[in-house]
Amino acid sequence: MRRHWPLAGAVGLGESVRIVFWAVTGRGYEDALITLTHAENAARGLGFVHHPQEGHVQGFTSALSALIPLAGELVHHGAGMATIKTVSLAAAAATIVYAYLIARRIGLAAWPTFFVVGYLALDYNQIIYAMGGMETQIAVAILLAGGYGLLPKCLLKR
């Protein structure tokens, strides 16, 4: 594990900061709450809508922001926001892991790698939006996973 200290340090730091932010602020962004209403209504059988009486109007940011809370709402009414925040915690770890793997693949040294993954661990925007119920962190994790998958194998560390 000594060899992977930048990864271990960044994941521990990133997860801790997000959990503390979630526990202390309890923040929920208005966009996340709008999408949550869609998920709650769908789970109740009213349709994937914000206001059932207004018809079928799409009012959410992305499929990620709507389907993840819907999964939580289908399991337990009122669990949508906690579900997307929990998935965002896992996505934060995945974001850091994929950034670390990219840094290793291109041959970045330990300290520059730590600065990259440390930035991702402590980036205020990713923390406040992810722990506010937005899909930001999940999208970043998916983008970095795709980027890592597209890197040619020939970029192996020298």
Side-chain angles (χ1 to χ4, degrees), residues 26-97:
R27 176 174 237 159
Y29 272 97
E30 64 279 353
D31 285 353
L33 296 173
I34 290 167
T35 302
L36 185 59
T37 302
H38 285 81
E40 288 171 345
N41 285 336
R44 289 184 183 133
L46 301 174
F48 212 40
V49 296
H50 192 264
H51 302 292
Q53 67 274 15
E54 293 177 358
H56 295 282
V57 178
Q58 191 262 352
F60 46 85
T61 309
S62 71
L64 287 173
S65 68
L67 296 176
I68 294 170
L70 176 59
E73 288 294 328
L74 290 173
V75 172
H76 177 69
H77 175 66
M81 184 65 85
T83 301
I84 194 159
K85 288 181 178 187
T86 303
V87 171
S88 290
L89 278 172
T95 297
I96 293 165
V97 167

Side-chain angles (χ1 to χ4, degrees), residues 11 15 18 64 68 84 86-102 120-121 123 126-127 130 134-150:
V11 169
E15 295 295 300
R18 283 163 176 77
L64 287 173
I68 294 170
I84 194 159
T86 303
V87 171
S88 290
L89 278 172
T95 297
I96 293 165
V97 167
Y98 279 111
Y100 178 77
L101 291 173
I102 290 168
L120 291 171
D123 179 32
Q126 291 190 58
I127 295 168
M134 302 297 290
E135 73 279 7
T136 308
Q137 189 71 68
I138 302 162
V140 172
I142 291 168
L143 287 170
L144 284 176
Y148 175 72
L150 292 173

Side-chain angles (χ1 to χ4, degrees), residues 3 5-6 100 103-104 106-116 157:
R3 204 172 100 177
W5 68 265
Y100 178 77
R104 299 273 308 199
I106 64 174
L108 210 56
W111 277 104
T113 298
F114 182 68
F115 285 120
V116 169
K157 186 175 149 185

